[in-house]
Amino acid sequence: ADGAAAALLTARPDALKSPPELAPPTLASCHSTLLPNSAELMAWSIGDHGFEMTLDASVPERLAQAVPGWIDSVLDSCQLRRAQVGGWAIHPGGPRIIERLSEALGLAAQTTADSLGVFRAHGNMSSPTVLFILQRMLRQDAQRGSTSRPWVAMAFGPGLAAECAVFV
């Protein structure tokens, strides 16, 4: 699938007009890590017909082994615990990545429903996918009239690299 997305960031959130209970999320923290001995698990190369991606079948399991400890340290730096996170925007390289990470992190199904929903509706759109998930989470909050934050957004890339953002 293909998708395009953008995010507007501001240093003046007071300039945004929204009710306090639906205030836009605040980016609290960003983190990156590189899984050791994983360069061959995901790669992009330029082929005769554009970019070609290779994705090893062991990626979901490797992420399930590595991500929980890393995420716990990320959350600890924000004085948070997994149980306090109301939504997880997990980049769906495929449904198995979301399923394995959900199991490994002990997440409730409703906290990853938006990640699975975006995958079912649009597939893996590469980089924009996480922003589609965050947009869906914002819409869900608007429908409820309350926020489910804090949120954690995660994406994975060649190397095997992991990126994370915490929103409050």
Side-chain angles (χ1 to χ4, degrees), residues 40-103:
E40 74 287 352
L41 298 181
M42 182 188 299
W44 287 97
S45 60
I46 300 174
D48 293 337
H49 303 287
F51 284 105
E52 297 172 359
M53 181 183 184
T54 57
L55 183 63
D56 191 277
S58 68
V59 167
E61 191 57 39
R62 287 290 302 273
L63 291 174
Q65 293 168 359
V67 167
W70 173 61
I71 285 296
D72 286 344
S73 68
V74 166
L75 292 174
D76 189 52
S77 73
C78 298
Q79 291 82 46
L80 292 170
R81 299 288 172 258
R82 290 183 211 168
Q84 294 172 285
V85 176
W88 296 80
I90 301 173
H91 184 285
R96 189 75 183 128
I97 288 176
I98 298 170
E99 291 164 4
R100 282 299 294 128
L101 284 174
S102 184
E103 292 167 7

Side-chain angles (χ1 to χ4, degrees), residues 1-6 118 122-129 131-132:
D2 290 324
V118 166
H122 305 285
N124 179 354
M125 298 173 283
S126 197
S127 299
T129 307
L131 292 177
F132 273 66

